[in-house]
Amino acid sequence: MSQSEHTIEALFDEGRTFPPPPDFAANAAVSSPEIYAEGDDTERFWGEEAERLEWRRRWDQVLDWSGAPFAKWFVGGKLNVTESCLDRHAATQPDRIAYHWEGEPGDTRSVTYAELLAEVCRLANGLAELGVGKGDRVAIYMGMVPELPVALLACARLGAPHSVVFGGFSADALADRINDAEAKALITCDGAWRAGAVVPLKDMADEALGRTPSIESVVVVRRTGSEVHMEPGRDHDYHELVSRQAGERPAVECDSEDLLYLLYTSGTTAKPKGIVHTCGGYLVGTATTYRMVFDARPERDVYWCTADIGWVTGHSYMVYGPLANGMTSVLYEGVPQYPDKDRFWDIVERYGVTILYTAPTAIRTFMKWGPEYPAKHDLSSLRLIGTVGEPINPEAWMWYRDTIGAGRTPVVDTWWQTETGQIMISPLPGLTTLKPGSATFPLPGVGADVVDEAGQSVPLGQGGYLTLTKPWPAMLRGIYGDPDRFVETYWRRFSKPEEGRWVYFAGDGAKRDLDGYFWLLGRVDDVMNVSGHRISTLEVESALVDHPAVAEAAVVGRLDERTGQAIAAFVTLKGARVGDDALIAELRDHVATRIGKIARPASIVFTDELPKTRSGKIMRRLLRDISEQRHLGDVTTLANADVVREIAARAAASTTTED
Ligand code: PRX
């Protein structure tokens, strides 16, 4: 836990507190203190929340935990999630805007609930025409266009699980994910706008499609107008396909526990895991937490989450959670610095955004750019601002509240994961007294603890491992096709099955202060967090080793002021090959091809040997110390202690590539 210890001091600042502003207390639905006590009765609490959604058939049992750690929620319940997200709002508030979309070049489109439902039905009809039916997996590899949420919802309408692959992933990464899920269809775009340039999504998809035998059809949204190859018989133009379809389609009835989607995430092995989310519990979990954490007031709010729908934040809090609550959301296609560094604030002002949800890494970037960019705009519409994805340092928290929130808005720092599906630890803005840098408390209905190596709760004031102590509705139901890995990864370490006690290990370090507040301290495993993106050290290592010049590679995440962590690689070369700048560039490109640009190492140090224990294990902790230029402690357990000084000297001399 050296890394966690290192960040503790940076994160701790227990002096300042901010009680909830009075206007939040007005919303009794999310500000009555009894709500935490109500959450203690897990089944009753989540059962009551489920009543707010549309069900075709009510459940017989809220939770079946008898097969722990494999959970079943809302057992016997039947629904189609799109009826809660679309049909009921299209019936009662057809003209309310579901999405204000803004393209990076400045083009805009607004879609009402009635229009969204019709478009979803048209695409569902089109997919059905291509042979997609209940249970068929559909891969989605798109930029942030309005057709992206439409694609997710059209799949959901058919009961066909979606598997969204973030548009920043490479062709190889896309192919691996398609093959693991054995997806039958792919929905993609010709390209996506990013920082004024086109990301050639269809070209990359074509590369992947050379080795994805399960794919029968491809639907291509025209976004950038780039010239793309269309394979006759397999590839279909989105607009041609949907324009000939009817704007209605009955939703397919699904079981609560039917697969809603897969989302691949990096873990502690080289192979990403397909996280399994099912219909009933996931919708209850996301809809409830959305309403509580964001104090949803659909009749007046304009909500903007700046994430990409390709990540879980986008699934839960740009699609399912806000739509289930009938909210109006903003979707923005591009980067924050295009055409200038005030783009976000321009969007907030023009749409009158009331709730903003973004990542600490973005906030730190805005801090670096300076207050003059937000100062150019009227941000007074904002009433609540949130963060997600990585620990937020108190300085960034304060800057966010003061500069963006005018020293007035609550800040909700929300801790959760792809696996949890829903926010787990977060303030409730009408109730919680905030401390800058702390995600505060587990939400009502959620159980969390901080434990030591032996699984014992640590006393207040101490740090340890973050665990979740009771099941929650949006919890992952497994790893696709790998039940053993599911149990091993999340449940083995701290559970006591013989006592019937199942405890989920999140992979994060945390500390509770003397007031019981939770402070997140970063990952304690081999997962890095770069700009809020989760990347496995082993995945990057195996991409490096796959290059013909590389003999061995070790990768660590080192602290970085702006991105949280940066990827530092240490590489030994085969034979007489000598490392130089050209090879560094080649290796970075190679990682981009294998995984995606987000996984490119910021620095690569060539070395003749890697520091290893006598049993041959690479000492990543030591490499992290070297990368962060910390004093090196005792290295006597190393087989090759003398190599360490040499690597440290080279690392100190190496340069970092900014992306
Ligand atoms: O380390 C935690 C960090 O992000 C990890 C989950 O990453 P991912 O599955 O990609 O989901 C990100 C968006 C939900 C966690 O294990 N993390 C997420 N939110 C926070 C956080 N760390 C500290 N504070 C947070 N608010």
Side-chain angles (χ1 to χ4, degrees), residues 461-642:
Q462 289 188 19
Y465 301 100
L466 179 66
T467 57
L468 300 171
T469 51
K470 58 184 195 178
W472 63 99
M475 66 196 288
L476 78 165
R477 301 298 194 266
I479 294 174
Y480 194 63
D482 203 343
D484 294 343
R485 190 173 169 202
F486 167 67
V487 179
E488 272 314 311
T489 308
Y490 304 108
W491 302 96
R492 188 69 79 206
R493 188 150 172 189
F494 295 117
S495 297
K496 301 220 164 30
E498 60 289 352
E499 295 168 20
R501 215 163 74 85
W502 289 95
V503 174
Y504 173 92
F505 173 45
D508 280 47
K511 176 170 172 168
R512 292 181 75 191
D513 67 19
L514 295 175
D515 299 324
Y517 281 64
F518 284 72
W519 298 74
L520 278 305
L521 304 171
R523 302 286 305 195
V524 293
D525 54 12
D526 291 328
V527 173
M528 299 174 286
N529 191 327
V530 181
S531 298
H533 297 152
R534 186 164 153 180
I535 299 166
S536 148
T537 53
L538 273 100
E539 214 176 328
V540 180
E541 284 170 6
S542 73
L544 286 167
V545 174
D546 168 74
H547 186 281
V550 174
E552 237 184 343
V555 165
V556 297
R558 76 170 136 76
L559 289 178
D560 183 276
E561 258 190 18
R562 193 174 54 85
T563 59
Q565 285 188 314
I567 304 177
F570 298 83
V571 167
T572 66
L573 297 174
K574 282 185 187 153
R577 183 88 193 243
V578 181
D580 53 16
D581 285 351
L583 186 57
I584 288 179
E586 200 178 312
L587 292 178
R588 294 182 80 240
D589 282 350
H590 188 74
V591 174
T593 311
R594 284 283 171 269
I595 306 172
K597 284 187 179 168
I598 52 169
R600 283 180 306 190
S603 62
I604 296 180
V605 171
F606 296 110
T607 164
D608 298 335
E609 260 181 275
L610 293 172
K612 289 184 184 163
T613 61
R614 290 184 206 282
S615 60
K617 254 182 89 177
I618 294 173
M619 295 282 287
R620 284 208 187 73
R621 168 134 63 105
L622 191 71
L623 290 173
R624 205 149 54 206
D625 288 345
I626 289 174
S627 315
E628 291 169 4
Q629 298 182 4
R630 249 195 308 280
H631 173 70
L632 301 177
D634 183 12
V635 292
T636 48
T637 52
L638 291 184
N640 44 2
D642 45 331

Side-chain angles (χ1 to χ4, degrees), residues 211 217 615:
R211 54 206 138 89
S217 28
S615 60

